[in-house]
Amino acid sequence: VEEKLRRAPEDGVQPEPSGYAPAPLPERFPVPSRARIKRYDLDVTLVVPGMPFDGETDRTASLGGSETMGLQLGRELSRRGHRVTMFANLPQGAAPGKYDGVTYMPVNELPRLIGAYQTDAFIVQRDPSLFSMPHRARVAVLWGHDLGLMRYHQPFRCALWNVDYVVPVSHWHGRQLCEVYGLDPKIVAPMRNGIDLDMVRRAAARAGKRDPHAVVYAARPERGLDLLLDKVFPRLLERDP
C-alpha cells in the first residue's frame, strides 16, 4: 500500500486453471523491501467478515487463522502509528469500541459507511463481493486466504475493476490464483501470515517444562493432518519409538 502511495499521490476440490493467466508466471512476485518504502501515517480500513471476534479474542479464546491474521495486522498497524478501523462480525453482546488503538465496527455497517469517507487503504479479506460497493479508498486490496476455485471464478473476476492489488499468503498461492482467475501478475503482491512472537513466548512461559514428545497440530484437519499422520508421524516413531 505504502509503495503505491509513494509512486502515485474450504473445500477439498482441486482447482483447475482457467486458461486466462499469462504464461509463464513468475516463481516469485516482486514485493517492495522496507528500505524502499517511504514512511506514511495511513488511514486503514480492514474488513474481516469471518468468525466473530473483537480486539481481545485472540488473547482469551480460540480463533480461526484468517481472523487472527486480520486482528493482529490491525493491532500492529495501529502500534506503528496508523489509524485503523476494523469491520468484523463482533461477538454476541459486544459493542463497537476501541482495542489497542483499533476502532471496531460491526461488518453490517460497512455498506452504509464505506462510501461516506475517504481512507488510504481499503483491505478486504476473502470476500470479493464486497468490492461491488463504491468506495473512496486510494488503494483497494483483496487479501486472499483461500485456494482459487473455478466455482468462484465469476465473482472474483467481477471484483477486479475495483481492486488495485490481490494479496495471497505465499508466492505459490499467488501463482495458483493467477492460473485459476486469470490475474495479471502485476497486481499480485504476496504477504505471508505472521506470528505474534510475544504471545507465543507468554504461552510458553505458562506451559512450564517442555515435553519433547508432545505434538501440536494447529490447523483444520483437511489442511495436512492426513500427511502428518500418514507420512510424518511414522518417521518420527522410527527415530524415537
Side-chain angles (χ1 to χ4, degrees):
V1 172
E2 291 174 331
E3 172 68 2
K4 178 166 183 180
L5 293 178
R6 185 186 68 79
R7 296 198 309 267
E10 335 65 301
D11 49 43
V13 177
Q14 180 66 30
E16 298 178 359
S18 68
Y20 290 105
L25 292 171
E27 280 296 313
R28 298 183 65 82
F29 297 87
V31 179
S33 65
R34 291 184 180 182
R36 293 177 54 202
I37 298 177
K38 184 177 177 180
R39 175 69 189 182
Y40 283 88
D41 293 327
L42 302 176
D43 289 303
V44 179
T45 300
L46 271 165
V47 185
V48 183
M51 297 172 62
F53 71 92
D54 60 24
E56 288 294 325
T57 303
D58 64 332
R59 295 167 175 153
T60 60
S62 60
L63 186 61
S66 300
E67 293 81 7
T68 299
M69 289 302 100
L71 188 165
Q72 294 185 356
L73 176 63
R75 182 184 292 155
E76 181 64 19
L77 288 172
S78 176
R79 189 184 71 81
R80 296 187 180 199
H82 302 299
R83 297 169 292 278
V84 182
T85 301
M86 175 79 72
F87 287 89
N89 288 310
L90 301 180
Q92 187 173 8
K98 215 161 207 180
Y99 299 84
D100 298 305
V102 179
T103 300
Y104 276 75
M105 298 288 293
V107 73
N108 58 10
E109 289 289 304
L110 180 66
R112 182 176 67 87
L113 298 174
I114 191 57
Y117 70 97
Q118 282 192 321
T119 184
D120 292 310
F122 180 40
I123 305 173
V124 174
Q125 199 182 80
R126 304 181 79 171
D127 188 354
S129 69
L130 295 179
F131 285 102
S132 63
M133 298 181 294
H135 62 77
R136 301 174 63 194
R138 298 178 70 185
V139 178
V141 176
L142 176 54
W143 187 8
H145 282 256
D146 304 291
L147 287 176
L149 296 173
M150 286 304 296
R151 70 184 65 174
Y152 302 127
H153 182 272
Q154 183 173 355
F156 200 101
R157 293 285 306 178
C158 287
L160 294 180
W161 70 275
N162 213 10
V163 172
D164 293 293
Y165 291 106
V166 174
V167 176
V169 297
S170 70
H171 292 274
W172 179 92
H173 187 209
R175 292 194 302 276
Q176 197 267 345
L177 294 180
C178 286
E179 291 169 353
V180 175
Y181 297 137
L183 303 182
D184 183 344
K186 293 179 181 178
I187 71 166
V188 177
M191 180 181 73
R192 65 186 179 185
N193 287 335
I195 299 172
D196 185 340
L197 293 177
D198 289 336
M199 184 173 290
V200 173
R201 294 187 187 102
R202 289 193 296 270
R206 292 195 302 269
K209 186 177 179 181
R210 181 178 179 182
D211 180 356
H213 295 95
V215 177
V216 177
Y217 178 82
R220 286 163 49 167
E222 69 269 23
R223 293 182 176 175
L225 182 58
D226 57 335
L227 295 176
L228 173 63
L229 296 177
D230 294 342
K231 304 295 184 181
V232 177
F233 204 67
R235 296 184 184 183
L236 293 177
L237 291 176
E238 287 178 6
R239 294 194 177 192
D240 190 353

